[in-house]
Amino acid sequence: MKYVGEAPQEELATGERSTRNRVARSILDHGPSTAADLAKRVGLTQAAVRRHLDTLVSDDVVEAREQRVYGTRTRGRPAKVFALTDCGRDAFDQSYDKLAVDALRWIADTAGDEALVAFARARMASQSETYRAVIEAADPEARTQALAKALSADGYAATARSAPGPQQGEQLCQHHCPVAHVAEQFPQLCEAETEFFSSLLGTHVQRLATLAHGDGVCTTFVPRGSPTAPQTSQTTHSASASTAGRNPA
């Protein structure tokens, strides 16, 4: 006999998987998160979220780690946050990482590191027209937010917020990177992206953390002030040429 409100076991299992996927997706979109943050975002109790997190940890989809603190650390033990593992990211990624790594390694082996740097910069330059139009349409104080929205549209799940502590500026955070696995072996991709952000925003920026280096999020510090107008492609090319082979500060 089936009582009102009783669901078949298959429906219950499907609902559990769907909820766990929502929890994992929330971590993908927002970066390493506490159980309390996840509970608010997905509309569940913390106890229910922790139950799903236990399963996700057991399935090697997420891992618990100590929360990273940038700037002045407050008293007390840092909160535990949950971040996606490589396996968890692979569940959302359907890219040709091995093919890309092989191609970039061939470029480096046959044409040298300069060719690899040139490729990384050309890759970013190919997107410059669309991104630059978005930045130029925004008010100067809203450029970082505009860049975050443009990055999110391209799958980077980006956000912008005020930098913590005494830092005068903003943090541009990319909670997802479609080429993170490739960038692990070829950091030139990250370096070219940092140069690209600097040229778009018209100010020096500093990369604080990257997914490729094992951090939970790619974080770029954008100083607050009166940025100049976004650089033209000709200015960007000249600036890139002067910094060839040098990592961003």
Side-chain angles (χ1 to χ4, degrees):
M1 179 178 180
K2 182 177 178 181
Y3 297 96
V4 176
E6 181 181 14
Q9 193 65 31
E10 295 81 5
E11 291 181 14
L12 291 174
T14 300
E16 291 281 293
R17 284 195 298 271
S18 175
T19 302
R20 284 197 295 273
N21 287 339
R22 286 170 54 211
V23 171
R25 180 72 202 194
S26 183
I27 296 174
L28 173 70
D29 289 341
H30 297 275
S33 307
T34 64
D37 290 335
L38 288 166
K40 292 178 182 178
R41 290 200 296 261
V42 300
L44 297 173
T45 64
Q46 289 191 44
V49 165
R50 290 185 183 280
R51 178 168 57 82
H52 288 296
L53 287 170
D54 287 342
T55 301
L56 291 169
V57 169
S58 178
D59 292 340
D60 194 30
V61 175
V62 305
E63 61 182 1
R65 60 171 66 163
E66 184 178 290
Q67 186 175 31
R68 292 193 176 212
V69 178
Y70 299 102
T72 305
R73 182 187 289 271
T74 58
R75 290 185 176 183
R77 186 176 179 180
K80 180 186 293 185
V81 296
F82 295 87
L84 288 179
T85 63
D86 287 344
C87 179
R89 290 187 182 282
D90 287 342
F92 293 97
D93 286 341
Q94 294 198 8
S95 57
Y96 297 93
D97 287 349
K98 187 178 184 304
L99 176 62
V101 167
D102 289 345
L104 291 178
R105 184 172 294 114
W106 183 87
I107 291 175
D109 290 344
T110 58
D113 288 341
E114 289 185 1
L116 189 58
V117 171
F119 167 81
R121 287 173 174 162
R123 174 177 173 270
M124 300 311 303
S126 67
Q127 307 172 48
S128 64
E129 184 176 345
T130 299
Y131 277 76
R132 204 171 300 282
V134 171
I135 300 301
E136 290 177 348
D139 293 332
E141 64 275 9
R143 285 176 181 164
T144 306
Q145 285 284 355
L147 177 55
K149 290 182 179 180
L151 288 167
S152 292
D154 281 343
Y156 287 86
T159 58
R161 62 189 181 192
S162 294
Q167 301 179 74
Q168 296 297 311
E170 297 174 285
Q171 283 187 353
L172 175 66
C173 299
Q174 295 157 265
H175 303 287
H176 179 59
C177 176
V179 298
H181 292 167
V182 181
E184 288 177 10
Q185 300 184 49
F186 299 98
Q188 293 89 342
L189 296 176
C190 296
E191 293 164 9
E193 184 180 70
T194 304
E195 290 179 0
F196 182 59
F197 290 167
S198 180
S199 71
L200 285 174
L201 298 172
T203 187
H204 173 75
V205 302
Q206 183 179 14
R207 185 60 61 91
L208 302 178
T210 64
L211 290 164
H213 289 170
D215 299 300
V217 60
C218 290
T219 307
T220 304
F221 175 69
V222 181
R224 183 176 291 119
S226 300
T228 60
Q231 299 176 30
T232 63
S233 58
Q234 182 176 359
T235 303
T236 302
H237 176 75
S238 298
S240 297
S242 67
T243 58
R246 186 177 65 193
N247 292 339

